[in-house]
Amino acid sequence: MDRRDFIKLTAISGTSATLASCGNPEHQLIRFVPDEDLVPGVAEWKPSVCPACSAGCAVNVRVMDADVETVRNGQAGVVAMSVAKKLEGLAKDPISQGGLCARGQASIQITYHPDRITQPMKRSGPRGSGLFTPVSWDEAIGELASRLDALAAAGDQKSLAYITRPRRSRRLALAAEFLGRFGAPAPIVFEVMGDDVVRRANAISFGRHQLPTIDLARSRFVISFGADFLGTWNSPVAQSVAYGVMRQGQTKQRGKLVQIESRMSLTGANADEWLPAKPGTEGVVALGLAHVIAANKLRPAAGGRAAAAIDGWSSGLADYAPARVEQLTAVAAKRLERLARELAEFRPAVAIVGGAPAGHTNGLFTVLAVNALNELVGAVEQPGGLFFTPGVEPAGVSAALLQNLSAKVLLLDDANPMFGAPKSMKVREALDKVPFIASVGSFIDDTSVLADLILPDHSFLESWVDTSPESGAIEAVKTVAGPVMKPIHQTRATADVLIEVAGKLKSPIALPWKNAEEVAKSDVGNGLQAVPRDGLKPVPYKFVDATFDGDAAQFPFHFLPYKSLQFGDGSTAHLPWLQEMPDPLTSAMWSSWVEINPQTAERLQIAQGDLVEITSTQGSLRAPAMIFPGIAPDVVAMPVGNGHEVFTRYASGRGVNPMTIIAPVSEADTGSLAWAATRVKIARAGGDDRRLIMFAGELREHPHEGERR
């Protein structure tokens, strides 16, 4: 009997009764005295902010009394307290509008996770061994402060590095301020399959270095180039709500959606038309549409900033006539002409771009082409088109700098580059050279297992939280919320830890905030250098064929990793509700898989569930085959999320990580990883290892389960 079952089955009474677990004297639980007055059975609702992604959805948290497992001063026990029981979208929030995705719903498990770090820990074994010893907060903060003092004494403050996950909160502002006043570089924002290319293109086309807000609710025609805006791209909850309004037909005509992508996403599955284009040619399709519209004078000519960024625009885009576009992209000329006329006729209309098209070596050109198309159809800052939420600043320094990391002290803020970065980037080698690593995350994962010191953070339900979303609403949005419950364990808000460390340095750093509450409520600048709104002058960009790592003769398939609906970039793979959630397009769960077109599978004699091996120039991996009709014959795809070496009992050693075999190819203008530019070969691996787990047991993890013997 484990400890959780023991609590469920045993009646616990008294204020300090010591309980032996099943007669085992070394496992004892005590009931701690409650820290607050409770009203049994009465619930209240409190606001907070969902941490599952950077969209910044506000949530409503149902709070009521319960017995909760906790660890205090090293002693396991239970305490009666007001705790979160359920999360829902906050109806008055301009982003979520009362909605909440599956990842948001499951985020409540972060607080109660059995493998959550409950107190500070210091490494006690070889780096990466996972051996840690509990220490006090005074010892942990003193250790970090002494490491920073040593850098300052040597005049080497620039050897402090800070890697964080994407955030749109004042927590990043605090980190930037701390680093700036210490004399260290700005925070490095690590994002798996990020949108740096889209932001850069928007800075060139529109003078705004940020992701757009799409006014789907008022649009009548939407054409999306690879952006899974209903699933994982940008602000999915806000976009799904607006899409629902669009499809209801506010002008007595149901809005139309066309999706162009090589692998059918959740958005593609909802589209009226889905068509694949050759990978890396999506920008040509966009300019082919623009050519038809301009040549037939279906819309007034566009001569703005976005158009000026496209070579040949002023001469009528002669290189993008439908016949040539068909040769380059495999999109039929007649279909292109029809879509162009619909795009011009059904107004307002808007084009969206994101995902794989921006993940090619020519991704910047593709986004610029779509931006120019939007300018032509009158979609920029117009109802039913695209807007830019005001007051948004850049999020930090590009994660491309990870390859040149030369820090002596590294702070990890809930970032996991060991999982998200390809092995070809040699992040492990870079981290091994860092003498001291401290982590402020709540779990031991693929990267924090390398840390020398772990300072566990409060969960979002135990903290002051805030968000200023990059997109999702036309007007600026800021949400601030206090803790909805008291901390369960001996954790501290990371903002409070940074402020305390700043004050304990031999040369103390004077920060403008005294605690986490003041940080969350503040409105001052975030300390990051903003990209000038009009500082990037457009120069004409011309289409250049995308390049792919791997010879096409030896590696005949384009490899497409994609963010999964359950795990996004892999940061929520440790939540069991999401592991057991069936993928909406394949119904697979608790596993990884390789999506293959039926014609390709038949030619290679691969059946559903067969173990296959995928090989690139960077290595190989094995996973079961998923025969999937929504994918081009020359493309194979895999969801990102599983494949963690270390990430709690629910995700460690489960599935495989497709990012490990991605080649170190970059988009030329931004230096961002071109994560869609790798070629692979695929073959049956042999054996009878059927690890594909399907909802309702189409394929069982144990093939003979349920059979009579």
Side-chain angles (χ1 to χ4, degrees), residues 418 421-429 618 645 659-662:
M418 277 293 296
K423 286 187 176 180
S424 54
M425 290 182 66
K426 299 183 178 180
V427 172
R428 175 61 189 265
E429 289 83 347
Q618 306 301 310
E645 294 183 8
M659 296 302 293
T660 59
I661 63 170
I662 295 298

Side-chain angles (χ1 to χ4, degrees), residues 120 136-138 141 440 455-458 463 487 489-497 500:
S136 69
W137 271 106
D138 286 343
I141 289 177
V440 294
L455 303 97
D457 193 10
H458 287 338
S463 303
H489 305 300
Q490 291 176 277
T491 57
R492 290 190 186 180
T494 294
D496 286 331
V497 170
E500 185 172 355

Side-chain angles (χ1 to χ4, degrees), residues 123-482:
R123 180 168 61 85
S124 57
R127 178 171 282 185
S129 65
L131 298 176
F132 294 92
T133 300
V135 295
S136 69
W137 271 106
D138 286 343
E139 183 179 348
I141 289 177
E143 172 77 6
L144 179 55
S146 68
R147 297 284 179 166
L148 299 182
D149 282 334
L151 290 183
D156 197 15
Q157 290 92 332
K158 293 188 179 299
S159 288
L160 169 62
Y162 190 101
I163 303 177
T164 180
R165 62 179 291 187
R167 297 185 186 278
R168 306 302 313 183
S169 71
R170 306 305 300 162
R171 175 162 164 170
L172 182 58
L174 168 63
E177 191 75 20
F178 178 95
L179 294 168
R181 298 195 181 198
F182 183 74
I188 298 172
V189 177
F190 178 78
E191 184 177 11
V192 180
M193 296 187 290
D195 287 301
D196 286 347
V197 171
V198 178
R199 295 186 181 95
R200 172 76 175 183
N202 289 342
I204 294 171
S205 300
F206 310 121
R208 300 302 297 267
H209 192 272
Q210 65 186 92
L211 298 180
T213 293
I214 312 298
D215 188 13
L216 292 167
R218 293 187 285 181
S219 185
R220 292 182 62 199
F221 191 96
V222 177
I223 184 165
S224 171
F225 296 83
D228 184 17
F229 62 85
L230 298 179
T232 59
W233 183 76
N234 198 8
S235 188
V237 173
Q239 290 158 178
S240 295
V241 172
Y243 177 75
V245 176
M246 165 196 157
R247 296 294 258 185
Q248 291 171 9
Q250 298 301 301
T251 57
K252 298 183 180 181
Q253 180 174 339
R254 188 172 183 262
K256 180 173 181 177
L257 170 62
V258 177
Q259 185 78 359
I260 301 173
E261 58 191 359
S262 297
R263 179 260 171 196
M264 182 177 285
S265 62
L266 183 63
T267 303
N270 281 272
D272 297 283
E273 291 188 49
W274 179 86
L275 61 151
K278 290 181 181 178
T281 68
E282 295 86 354
V284 174
V285 177
L287 294 185
L289 296 169
H291 169 87
V292 173
I293 293 172
N296 293 278
K297 298 181 180 180
L298 303 177
R299 294 284 293 158
R305 180 175 179 145
I310 300 300
D311 182 73
W313 187 278
S314 60
S315 60
L317 299 172
D319 290 339
Y320 302 97
R324 184 167 186 267
V325 170
E326 181 174 353
Q327 292 177 347
L328 292 172
T329 69
V331 175
K334 289 186 178 180
R335 193 173 198 180
L336 185 82
E337 292 181 9
R338 174 178 58 79
L339 290 176
R341 293 181 180 278
E342 291 179 358
L343 185 62
E345 177 183 355
F346 298 115
R347 293 179 281 170
V350 66
I352 310 174
V353 60
H360 294 297
T361 57
N362 61 359
L364 184 67
F365 169 83
T366 296
V367 183
L368 291 172
V370 176
N371 287 348
L373 177 62
N374 271 317
E375 191 172 77
L376 177 62
V377 300
V380 183
E381 301 283 354
Q382 295 296 321
L386 59 87
F387 292 81
F388 292 95
T389 303
V392 173
E393 300 293 338
V397 180
S398 171
L401 295 179
L402 283 176
Q403 292 177 285
N404 301 313
L405 188 68
S406 58
K408 294 180 180 177
V409 175
L410 171 62
L411 297 180
L412 290 169
D413 185 356
D414 208 18
N416 190 5
M418 277 293 296
F419 175 79
K423 286 187 176 180
S424 54
M425 290 182 66
K426 299 183 178 180
V427 172
R428 175 61 189 265
E429 289 83 347
L431 294 178
D432 282 342
K433 295 177 182 178
V434 179
F436 184 79
I437 301 174
S439 170
V440 294
S442 296
F443 299 92
I444 297 177
D445 59 27
D446 311 79
T447 306
S448 62
V449 73
L450 303 175
D452 302 283
L453 184 68
I454 297 179
L455 303 97
D457 193 10
H458 287 338
S459 81
F460 72 106
L461 298 174
E462 303 163 337
S463 303
W464 277 93
V465 290
D466 71 285
T467 183
S468 298
E470 179 180 14
S471 60
I474 295 176
E475 301 297 329
V477 177
K478 181 176 175 63
T479 302
V480 180

